[in-house]
Amino acid sequence: MANYVRFDWAMKRLLRDKANHAVLEGLMTSLLGERFTIVRFLESEGNQTDETDKFNRVDMLVESDRGELVIIEIQNSRELTYFHRMLYGVSKVITDYIKIGDDYGKVRKVYSVNIVYFSIGQGTDYVYHGKTVFRGLHDSNDVLRLSKRQQEAFFGIVDDTNGRKEAGDLFPEYYLLKVNNFDRVAKTPLDEWIAFLKTGEISADTKVPGLVEARECLNLDKMSDVDRQAYLRHMDNIWYQKNALNTSFDDGMMKGRAEGRAEGEAIGLEKGEAIGLEKGKKLEKIETARNLKRLGVPIETIATATGLSTDEITTL
């Protein structure tokens, strides 16, 4: 069985090579359902090679043959505000690539593709697609009195360099690939891609765009010594980081258990003393009631004096 490198490392070192563009192009074609070609990689905060400088940065930013911008990011660690991070990344890209004084018509279409390896959101679907949709009030009399051009503007029809389209098509689209949610037999090209991202395995007879090329360029055994050593160092760093996190977690668990045990013992001692005191008082009342009963004192009087019920006194 072939030994393939991790996809996040490949994006930083291998897939930027023009000879390997077909891998990412295949992923985007499978995701969008139409041909996708990378024109160039763009400089951004995300083009970092330092392991410790990776967090909260865009992993990859590319421009397509249609002039669209695509953010591709892989996230391995759970993050409570990940949706906020997605929105920030898209907003930053839009503002970075429209200069002060430019017409708003130069705003680019942006796709945000997020590959996550932790639970996020609800449901069991493994691909989430978010897109802005404009809806008009078609039965409005005021709208019906507008010209055709005005109605089209009201209903979100706009002119674009590539033709007329819905206003929502100008807005960013978000793809969230929840890799760990995939648990079915791969039937579509996108299924095969998600299966590869989850298991690291590629079928020997796959015909899916990108995965065919990935069998070669992501195969660790076919890499140069320089790339192979770089990848092994990368995996060592990941192992070290995970080990440090696990150690910190274990230390925290042990400390928490010790503090909890000490607190529990203190609470137990205090509670035990209170229970014992209450039980002693009850026994004292019973003994007093028993003595009064021997002396022939009426049960009602004993009940008033001790606080015991008449039934309790009767059974003494």
Side-chain angles (χ1 to χ4, degrees):
M1 182 179 294
N3 185 16
Y4 298 106
V5 299
R6 286 169 57 111
F7 199 68
D8 52 354
W9 182 83
M11 288 204 310
K12 288 187 171 295
R13 190 175 180 103
L14 303 179
L15 302 185
R16 297 178 186 277
D17 187 333
K18 188 172 180 61
N20 298 327
H21 283 190
V23 176
L24 280 177
E25 290 172 352
L27 171 60
M28 292 303 301
T29 296
S30 298
L31 190 62
L32 301 178
E34 56 184 284
R35 183 175 176 272
F36 183 93
T37 304
I38 295 174
V39 173
R40 59 177 175 147
F41 287 86
L42 300 170
E43 293 301 320
S44 71
E45 285 187 318
N47 293 347
Q48 304 288 331
T49 56
D50 187 340
E51 305 272 350
T52 61
D53 207 23
K54 173 180 181 295
F55 302 107
N56 291 322
R57 305 288 181 98
V58 172
D59 287 335
M60 185 174 284
L61 178 61
V62 303
E63 182 181 13
S64 75
D65 55 348
R66 296 187 293 271
E68 300 163 334
L69 303 180
V70 180
I71 298 170
I72 303 175
E73 183 171 42
I74 291 183
Q75 184 77 352
N76 294 291
S77 302
R78 186 171 182 268
E79 190 173 331
L80 294 176
T81 55
Y82 192 71
F83 286 107
H84 300 76
R85 172 177 173 169
M86 289 164 54
L87 176 61
Y88 174 80
V90 168
S91 303
K92 189 76 165 56
V93 165
I94 292 174
T95 55
D96 279 351
Y97 290 91
I98 182 171
K99 298 177 182 178
I100 295 176
D102 279 350
D103 185 88
Y104 287 118
K106 292 187 178 180
V107 170
R108 312 275 200 96
K109 170 75 173 185
V110 178
Y111 292 96
S112 175
V113 180
N114 301 269
I115 304 169
V116 299
Y117 287 85
F118 56 91
S119 177
I120 184 171
Q122 298 180 352
T124 58
D125 289 338
Y126 65 90
V127 178
Y128 281 11
H129 178 209
K131 180 180 179 180
T132 301
V133 178
F134 281 71
R135 294 187 175 89
L137 304 176
H138 294 272
D139 57 351
S140 169
N141 291 327
D142 291 335
V143 173
L144 295 177
R145 284 196 292 267
L146 298 175
S147 68
K148 181 179 180 181
R149 180 72 173 175
Q150 289 172 322
Q151 288 186 40
E152 288 177 343
F154 184 87
F155 294 139
I157 308 296
V158 298
D159 284 323
D160 185 68
T161 55
N162 296 320
R164 313 188 77 196
K165 57 175 64 177
E166 296 288 337
D169 291 334
L170 299 177
F171 285 74
E173 293 186 33
Y174 299 86
Y175 287 90
L176 189 65
L177 311 184
K178 300 166 64 174
V179 175
N180 291 340
N181 280 27
F182 185 79
D183 60 355
R184 64 192 74 180
V185 176
K187 296 181 178 179
T188 68
L190 184 56
D191 285 347
E192 288 198 43
W193 260 103
I194 303 298
F196 163 62
L197 293 171
K198 180 175 183 177
T199 66
E201 299 176 3
I202 303 175
S203 172
D205 58 354
T206 186
K207 299 296 188 296
V208 173
L211 290 181
V212 175
E213 293 78 8
R215 272 209 312 254
E216 296 297 319
C217 72
L218 303 187
N219 191 330
L220 183 63
D221 298 328
K222 296 183 179 181
M223 288 183 185
S224 67
D225 289 338
V226 173
D227 284 340
R228 187 182 300 110
Q229 291 304 317
Y231 179 68
L232 294 177
R233 285 194 301 272
H234 170 78
M235 295 305 296
D236 284 342
N237 288 337
I238 289 179
W239 177 86
Y240 177 79
Q241 290 173 8
K242 285 186 176 180
N243 187 55
L245 287 173
N246 289 336
T247 300
S248 298
F249 178 78
D250 291 341
D251 289 346
M253 286 288 291
M254 292 178 64
K255 184 178 180 180
R257 287 174 178 172
E259 292 178 353
R261 188 180 299 112
E263 183 178 355
E265 290 176 352
I267 292 174
L269 180 61
E270 182 179 351
K271 188 174 181 180
E273 290 177 346
I275 293 175
L277 182 61
E278 188 65 28
K279 188 174 182 179
K281 289 180 179 179
K282 184 68 176 288
L283 291 175
E284 182 181 353
K285 290 179 180 180
I286 290 175
E287 188 61 27
T288 299
R290 184 177 285 113
N291 292 333
L292 292 175
K293 190 176 181 181
R294 288 197 191 100
L295 295 173
V297 177
I299 290 179
E300 289 75 10
T301 303
I302 297 175
T304 301
T306 62
L308 297 177
S309 67
T310 55
D311 290 339
E312 288 179 302
I313 297 171
T314 302
T315 59
L316 292 177

